[in-house]
Amino acid sequence: MEAMEETVDQSLREMRETFASGRTRSIKWRKAQLGAIIEMVKDNEEKMCDVLFQDLGKHSTEAFRDELGFVMRSASTALNFLDKWVVPKKSNLPLLFYPATGKVISEPYGTVLVLSSWNFPISLSLDPMIGAIAAGNTVLLKASELSPNASALLTKLIPSYLDTKAIKVIEGGPDVATILLQHQWDKIFFTGSPKIGKIIMAAAAEHLTPVTLELGGKCPTIIDHHSVSKDMKSVVKRISGGKWGSCSGQACISVDYVLVEQSFASTLIDMFKPVIRSFFGVNPKESGCLSKIVTKKHFQRLSRLLNDPRVKASIVYGGSMDEDKLYVEPTILLDPPLDSEIMNEEIFGPILPIITLRDIQESIGFIKSKPKPLAIYAFTKDENLKTRILSETSSGSVTFNDLMIQYMCDALPFGGVGQSGMGRYHGKYSFECFSHEKAIMEGSLAMDLEARYPPWNNFKLNFIRLAFREAYFKLLLLMLGLTKGVRK
Amino acid sequence: MVKVFQAADATDLVTELRRSFDDGVTRGYEWRVTQLKKLLLICDNHEPEIVSALHDDLGKPELESSVYEVALLRNSINLAVQQLKDWMAPDKAKTSLTTFPASAEIVYEPLGVVLVISAWNYPFLLSIDPVIGAISAGNAVVLKPSELAPASSSLLAKLLEQYLDSSAVRVVEGAVTETTLLLEQKWDKIFYTGSSRIGRIIMMAAAKHLTPVVLELGGKSPVVIDSDTNLKITAKRIIAGKWGCNNGQACISPDYILTTKEFSPKVIDALKQELEAFYGKNPMESKDMSRIVNSNHFDRLSKMLEEKEVSDKIVYGGQKNRDKLKIAPTILVDVPLDSQIMSEEIFGPLLPIITLNKLEECFDVIRSRPKPLGAYLFTQNQKLKERFALTVSAGGIVVNDIAVHLAVPTLPFGGVGESGMGSYHGKFSFDAFSHKKAVLYKSFIGDAAIRYPPYSTGKLRLLKALVNSNILEIFRVILGLS
């Protein structure tokens, strides 16, 4: 551990010196690093798919879609728009301040810490780093120990493609994180669970370090079968693809549970079965298209959730598990008890509870009774329901008639609220996430108003009152001595 | 008899406000505008009482109270009333080929039940200005004014209860005990104005509930004076910004001056001249300056002045009167850089001048200290202005003036590093108390098989093309030509 402490000390020192030298402020430098990230992913696509398969059993298509392709696009967006993003924003000043000018410039925080997660170990590491670099910071990445092959690969590749004096990687678990958090950072970006999020924020508080916390929650999916009956096949496909087609449900924006009217429940379940079979065949374990559970610990957690006898009794599809292969079959539950663990914890796995309601309008109250999730999904064409969902529930985001895809839309801020997190990123928001918006105002030494200065008297008081109210005509009268001014 | 605020009271308070919020009391445009207009009525109908309370608490001159508290608030309220419809409207967002066909927008929604903890130096401004943000954004809000300005605190409690909707807006008066009880509750946002030391405590308490915070803290805001400046105007603005703003007890007060050894005597002379013009030969008798807020702060400032190697550096002022809680405008030159007065935020009428061999050395001096809330530069040199704006990290920077950026609603007002996090004023206040919710509307047209397992090389190629928005490649794959 002492060696690790020394490494961290040294790394921080070097990064701070590099930042102070101004190297990372140069747009050229930032673009070069962003270009290097794209190159790094392009050159090592196969290796990256390999490690993602080793750590998570991810198929290369999934790996590309959710991680590699996504990172390359994120980096090229930053490359293409950086010149625009760094332009200072002019502020219009009220006439009162003429001829002063105002603007806001985005300045890098300095030396930032990115704590990544294991489920999308490449994209959840590189994407925040893209934001940090675009904004001109030096950055240290702590890659997750639960995806050891991906983390080892990043540890090897990053120094050979990127500026090692400014961008560093450390692999490790909670003990490494603890050491890192004892130091002062200019910003901390964390992706993970709410429980750890609280620890991160408390550690950041010691140094008044601002944080972005991308956490999770139970993302509900509302199916309003009345209004989408024509497209129900699509609905089921999208939900299945979103749940089981992306890291086997181990994603912060995965569908956690479904809400549907009781009358439609059995039809819905019957529609899921052929879709799941079409995706994964009769034996999903052998399909090669279903990610595995990341560790034995998480497997045992999911096992425990399912082994609750009342939950077990609610299994209507799937349910088989293989600890050696870290495999959990795509599983559907029908109305597990609402006080069971599986209905109160983020599932983060391939188990899908379907909760039935008498009327789909009740979904609003149901969602409100739980902590604010990262995403709410709703399949509906009913404008009233859409409005109710938007105005009566709160979540990081809302997506109508699809799943997960809001992640890809980099014109939308990606982040949580309440228990699901604070702060946001993606696209320009990543740049802003790692920038301090500094106000700059410039006054003129040419003109001066006596009324600004003591000793105070009634004239000055009235002058300033009128000036504040931008009552310029009355101000003129006051100055010409044609009025004593107004009390208010 | 004043009822003692206890833990159960804090819980009940939050529960009640949460119920109001959940019932939708604060969400509608009408409610928000009505509350804002009531705040305006408070300013209109009670200005003399506000001025009087500020005089009791701080000895604040009438002009400062009228202008820097009431008038600023009035402007802030009027702006919010005028712009609220615009602020509440969703922003459209662009979508891309990857998510086609879809439309997207960002919807502003209130966070819920928020806590505003205010400070003693501008007790009305720093209480009501954040509350304006909270209400415009549609939240229920609890305000905890500072106990160190008791007359203002009790007037705020009285007026807010009288004018505003108490099912959603409440004031809790008190000190450490009451604040601690409040901080144990789960809030949807906490907005704090005060010291960095307490800011840490606030953020730590907020972490327990994953509550986001805005911390408006302080720091030592430096003023760099170049020899090419108009010294008379520079001196006047510094004086007005320092002693003219609550006698230096303000977060963006010019804390210390940096200038060259050569120019420093002229700076001192200019300051002395203008100080006399403003406050006369007996500044201790002048009614145009606030007093020191209490004996704790008086003793703190006294100690700073009495420190060895500091007391002999006084070149102007230095008189003190503990009974009247007054300290004269005091200028010092070249106190040791590790003295108390150069290590802590002064927050008082003392102005150290640190002289440098070359003006460029100012960058190292400033950079070696925690990031301040404000940084000021007086110069005509364009290159120097640019270098300053780019390389000095502070909450906000003002060139050729002091503190005025506080009054500009189109500039975000907030700190960085030790001086804070988050910002407000104008629309930034509305944003500070809102959650910007991303909304994506997708249609059912175009359900590409490539999205779903089983995965194949063909699907992978198409996906790659899509991700790269490479239209040509997309066609090629679809037509089987790639």
Side-chain angles (χ1 to χ4, degrees):
Chain A
M1 257 317 113
E2 241 185 67
M4 179 55 74
E5 282 183 21
E6 259 249 35
T7 310
V8 170
D9 274 337
Q10 233 177 325
S11 301
L12 253 171
R13 214 175 308 130
E14 194 174 35
M15 284 188 294
R16 290 215 179 100
E17 270 168 27
T18 305
F19 183 76
S21 78
R23 180 146 96 245
T24 62
R25 308 288 300 254
S26 124
I27 306 295
K28 224 171 128 212
W29 180 89
R30 304 184 206 187
K31 285 185 173 177
Q33 300 308 301
L34 293 169
I37 290 179
I38 297 175
E39 241 189 85
M40 180 174 77
V41 176
K42 262 210 190 115
D43 290 348
N44 296 280
E45 208 181 293
E46 232 189 274
K47 285 204 185 101
M48 289 188 174
C49 286
D50 272 343
V51 295
L52 289 171
F53 181 77
Q54 284 164 45
D55 284 335
L56 296 155
K58 256 187 221 200
H59 187 279
S60 53
T61 304
E62 211 189 295
F64 183 84
R65 183 196 67 202
D66 293 346
E67 302 219 43
L68 312 186
F70 179 77
V71 166
M72 287 195 283
R73 234 237 343 218
S74 184
S76 67
T77 300
L79 249 179
N80 291 335
F81 288 95
L82 189 59
D83 289 321
K84 251 180 91 193
W85 292 349
V86 298
V87 173
K89 296 179 272 281
K90 254 195 86 189
S91 304
N92 285 324
L93 261 47
L95 200 54
L96 174 64
F97 295 97
Y98 182 83
T101 56
K103 62 186 178 189
V104 179
I105 66 180
S106 302
E107 126 186 314
Y109 277 115
T111 297
V112 308
L113 175 64
V114 172
L115 300 163
S116 176
S117 177
W118 52 261
N119 52 343
F120 294 86
I122 308 279
S123 56
L124 294 179
S125 298
L126 295 177
D127 202 22
M129 282 174 79
I130 287 168
I133 291 167
N137 298 277
T138 52
V139 50
L140 178 80
L141 164 71
K142 186 196 91 55
S144 174
E145 78 285 17
L146 297 187
S147 51
N149 296 292
S151 298
L153 184 61
L154 283 174
T155 306
K156 189 174 122 212
L157 291 177
I158 285 177
S160 48
Y161 280 83
L162 302 177
D163 182 346
T164 51
K165 287 206 184 338
I167 303 167
K168 296 182 186 291
V169 198
I170 281 185
E171 261 186 275
D175 44 359
V176 173
T178 307
I179 296 175
L180 290 170
L181 289 172
Q182 282 163 5
H183 292 268
Q184 195 249 337
W185 299 90
D186 298 309
K187 171 104 192 193
I188 296 176
F189 185 103
F190 169 75
T191 308
S193 72
K195 187 170 113 192
I196 307 297
K198 291 179 183 175
I199 297 173
I200 307 280
M201 188 172 170
E206 298 258 11
H207 301 284
L208 287 173
T209 300
V211 299
T212 292
L213 305 174
E214 296 273 335
L215 311 175
K218 292 181 78 61
C219 300
T221 301
I222 300 172
I223 301 179
D224 170 25
H225 76 279
H226 298 289
S227 68
V228 294
S229 48
K230 263 182 19 211
D231 302 294
M232 194 52 75
K233 261 180 95 178
S234 234
V235 172
V236 174
K237 272 181 102 174
R238 286 180 186 189
I239 295 178
S240 306
K243 175 82 173 182
W244 296 291
S246 192
C247 209
S248 222
Q250 298 165 106
C252 53
I253 40 169
S254 188
V255 178
D256 191 278
Y257 63 99
V258 163
L259 291 164
V260 73
E261 275 178 20
Q262 203 158 44
S263 54
F264 191 68
S266 58
T267 315
L268 180 65
I269 295 167
D270 285 339
M271 290 182 79
F272 268 112
K273 296 177 183 176
V275 170
I276 296 175
R277 267 197 299 272
S278 77
F279 285 1
F280 305 111
V282 256
N283 194 356
K285 206 192 315 190
E286 310 299 322
S287 71
C289 291
L290 186 70
S291 295
K292 67 182 180 194
I293 306 307
V294 68
T295 57
K296 270 210 161 54
K297 195 159 157 228
H298 275 275
F299 178 91
Q300 284 156 2
R301 179 184 64 83
L302 290 168
S303 188
R304 199 186 64 236
L305 293 180
L306 271 190
N307 282 337
D308 176 342
R310 302 172 304 158
V311 173
K312 225 191 190 120
S314 69
I315 298 178
V316 292
Y317 183 89
S320 70
M321 307 175 103
D322 182 340
E323 183 154 357
D324 289 330
K325 295 228 163 86
L326 293 174
Y327 163 79
V328 173
E329 191 185 353
T331 300
I332 302 179
L333 311 172
L334 178 60
D335 282 327
L338 295 180
D339 62 355
S340 56
E341 226 184 317
I342 203 170
M343 280 312 293
N344 288 288
E345 247 189 52
E346 186 175 3
I347 297 172
F348 230 67
I351 307 167
L352 181 68
I354 295 179
I355 307 294
T356 63
L357 309 163
R358 267 172 319 145
D359 183 328
I360 200 64
Q361 302 287 332
E362 290 168 24
S363 58
I364 311 270
F366 189 95
I367 292 172
K368 279 172 74 167
S369 71
K370 294 188 171 299
K372 302 179 183 186
L374 192 50
I376 291 178
Y377 303 109
F379 289 89
T380 179
K381 288 189 180 155
D382 178 344
E383 292 304 323
N384 276 332
L385 183 60
K386 283 188 190 173
T387 307
R388 277 198 75 201
I389 292 170
L390 279 183
S391 59
E392 293 180 46
T393 66
S394 182
S395 55
S397 66
V398 178
T399 300
F400 289 111
N401 298 327
D402 211 332
L403 291 181
M404 325 268 288
I405 202 110
Q406 75 274 19
Y407 194 77
M408 300 277 174
C409 179
D410 56 15
L412 281 178
F414 183 80
V417 65
Q419 292 291 105
S420 51
M422 55 182 78
R424 65 247 182 104
Y425 72 132
H426 283 186
K428 177 155 202 251
Y429 299 103
S430 291
F431 176 83
E432 289 173 2
C433 174
F434 290 96
S435 301
H436 162 54
E437 302 294 307
K438 186 167 70 178
I440 318 250
M441 185 166 166
E442 185 173 338
S444 156
L445 289 167
M447 272 171 51
D448 212 13
L449 288 172
E450 271 315 304
R452 290 183 55 168
Y453 309 113
W456 303 130
N457 55 42
N458 264 337
F459 173 84
K460 290 184 181 179
L461 179 54
N462 286 323
F463 185 98
I464 296 178
R465 271 220 185 90
L466 290 173
F468 259 91
R469 282 206 267 139
E470 308 198 5
Y472 297 113
F473 183 65
K474 287 211 183 103
L475 201 50
L476 190 61
L477 295 181
L478 178 72
M479 293 202 289
L480 295 173
L482 294 174
T483 174
K484 283 224 182 76
V486 273
R487 187 66 198 144
K488 293 203 201 98
Chain B
M1 194 191 74
V2 181
K3 186 168 165 279
V4 174
F5 189 76
Q6 295 177 316
D9 298 317
T11 315
D12 288 343
L13 174 63
V14 176
T15 308
E16 200 193 315
L17 257 53
R18 211 167 276 294
R19 202 174 306 126
S20 299
F21 180 78
D22 286 341
D23 287 344
V25 168
T26 62
R27 311 286 301 244
Y29 173 79
E30 290 308 329
W31 182 88
R32 305 183 201 191
V33 169
T34 309
Q35 298 306 296
L36 292 172
K37 289 194 171 150
K38 294 264 170 77
L39 284 173
L40 206 54
L41 280 179
I42 291 179
C43 294
D44 289 343
N45 298 345
H46 298 275
E47 192 172 331
E49 288 156 74
I50 294 173
V51 169
S52 171
L54 288 168
H55 193 264
D56 284 345
D57 285 333
L58 301 157
K60 212 174 258 208
E62 186 191 347
L63 186 135
E64 280 193 46
S65 300
S66 277
V67 172
Y68 298 134
E69 301 229 31
V70 182
L72 274 180
L73 276 176
R74 227 189 246 116
N75 273 17
S76 191
I77 299 167
N78 279 327
L79 184 75
V81 168
Q82 250 174 49
Q83 309 261 341
L84 191 57
K85 266 225 163 77
D86 254 337
W87 292 352
M88 284 172 71
D91 295 333
K92 279 246 156 277
K94 270 179 61 188
T95 53
S96 68
L97 201 59
T98 339
T99 49
F100 179 83
S103 68
E105 63 183 7
I106 296 168
V107 168
Y108 291 90
E109 78 181 11
L111 290 163
V113 181
V114 306
L115 174 64
V116 172
I117 300 176
S118 172
W120 55 261
N121 55 341
Y122 286 82
F124 284 90
L125 182 66
L126 300 177
S127 296
I128 299 187
D129 212 4
V131 167
I132 290 169
I135 289 176
S136 336
N139 300 277
V141 51
V142 171
L143 166 67
K144 214 290 292 152
S146 172
E147 71 281 14
L148 297 188
S152 304
S153 173
S154 107
L155 182 60
L156 274 165
K158 179 176 134 218
L159 291 176
L160 260 60
E161 198 194 346
Q162 190 183 336
Y163 282 82
L164 300 185
D165 178 354
S166 51
S167 76
V169 182
R170 295 277 261 280
V171 180
V172 172
E173 286 191 81
V176 177
T177 314
E178 288 75 10
T179 310
T180 310
L181 289 175
L182 287 171
L183 287 173
E184 282 166 10
Q185 300 299 313
K186 175 173 177 333
W187 302 93
D188 297 305
K189 183 112 188 190
I190 297 176
F191 186 107
Y192 168 74
T193 307
S195 72
S196 308
R197 186 179 71 89
I198 307 293
R200 284 170 160 82
I201 297 174
I202 306 276
M203 188 171 170
M204 218 158 310
K208 296 204 180 84
H209 298 286
L210 288 172
T211 299
V213 300
V214 170
L215 304 175
E216 296 272 331
L217 310 175
K220 294 180 78 60
S221 300
V223 186
V224 176
I225 304 181
D226 191 1
S227 54
D228 70 355
T229 189
N230 176 328
L231 202 44
K232 190 173 163 88
I233 295 185
T234 300
K236 286 164 89 168
R237 289 181 183 179
I238 291 174
I239 297 169
K242 174 115 180 165
W243 294 283
C245 284
N246 207 28
N247 207 5
Q249 299 164 105
C251 51
I252 38 162
S253 189
D255 190 280
Y256 65 102
I257 289 181
L258 289 165
T259 191
T260 57
K261 287 201 186 330
E262 212 188 312
F263 198 57
S264 155
K266 294 208 179 86
V267 171
I268 296 169
D269 281 339
L271 285 168
K272 284 182 181 174
Q273 201 178 350
E274 298 307 325
L275 274 168
E276 209 177 289
F278 285 14
Y279 304 117
K281 289 199 191 295
N282 287 320
M284 295 285 268
E285 309 297 318
S286 170
K287 292 207 181 346
D288 286 337
M289 278 183 287
S290 300
R291 61 154 206 267
I292 307 304
V293 66
N294 59 31
S295 47
N296 276 343
H297 279 273
F298 182 94
D299 292 336
R300 180 182 64 82
L301 292 162
S302 275
K303 252 181 75 195
M304 278 186 183
L305 277 184
E306 286 158 13
E307 193 179 335
K308 207 169 81 143
E309 299 206 39
V310 172
S311 52
D312 57 348
K313 307 287 193 305
I314 298 176
V315 296
Y316 183 89
Q319 302 93 321
K320 299 181 265 161
N321 184 329
R322 196 172 191 273
D323 292 329
K324 297 212 169 107
L325 291 175
K326 284 202 172 188
I327 298 178
T330 302
I331 302 176
L332 308 101
V333 181
D334 283 332
V335 297
L337 289 178
D338 59 357
S339 55
Q340 191 87 333
I341 200 175
M342 280 309 290
S343 310
E344 257 183 45
E345 186 176 1
I346 295 170
F347 228 70
L350 319 176
L351 182 63
I353 299 179
I354 305 294
T355 64
L356 311 162
N357 290 319
K358 286 210 308 258
L359 198 64
E360 286 69 34
E361 293 166 25
C362 70
F363 292 105
D364 282 332
V365 176
I366 298 173
R367 205 179 307 160
S368 68
R369 286 151 184 289
K371 301 181 181 186
L373 190 53
Y376 306 105
L377 170 67
F378 285 88
T379 187
Q380 315 263 36
N381 181 336
Q382 193 56 31
K383 276 207 149 59
L384 187 60
K385 288 181 195 174
E386 280 166 22
R387 188 174 166 199
F388 198 81
L390 224 54
T391 63
V392 171
S393 185
I397 293 192
V398 185
V399 175
N400 293 336
D401 213 330
I402 301 277
V404 275
H405 61 308
L406 190 124
V408 177
T410 46
L411 288 173
F413 185 81
V416 64
E418 284 288 314
S419 52
M421 55 182 79
S423 61
Y424 72 132
H425 287 178
K427 177 162 200 268
F428 302 102
S429 294
F430 177 84
D431 288 344
F433 289 96
S434 300
H435 167 51
K436 299 190 191 182
K437 185 160 73 178
V439 183
L440 189 65
Y441 298 89
K442 194 102 195 300
S443 89
F444 287 103
I445 309 168
D447 210 13
I450 62 161
R451 290 179 55 165
Y452 308 115
Y455 301 124
S456 65
T457 346
K459 285 187 182 179
L460 181 56
R461 254 188 261 127
L462 191 53
L463 245 176
K464 283 189 177 174
L466 214 73
V467 162
N468 293 323
S469 293
N470 188 337
I471 312 254
L472 217 53
E473 178 68 11
I474 293 171
F475 273 123
R476 277 219 213 101
V477 177
I478 296 180
L479 296 173
L481 293 174
S482 182

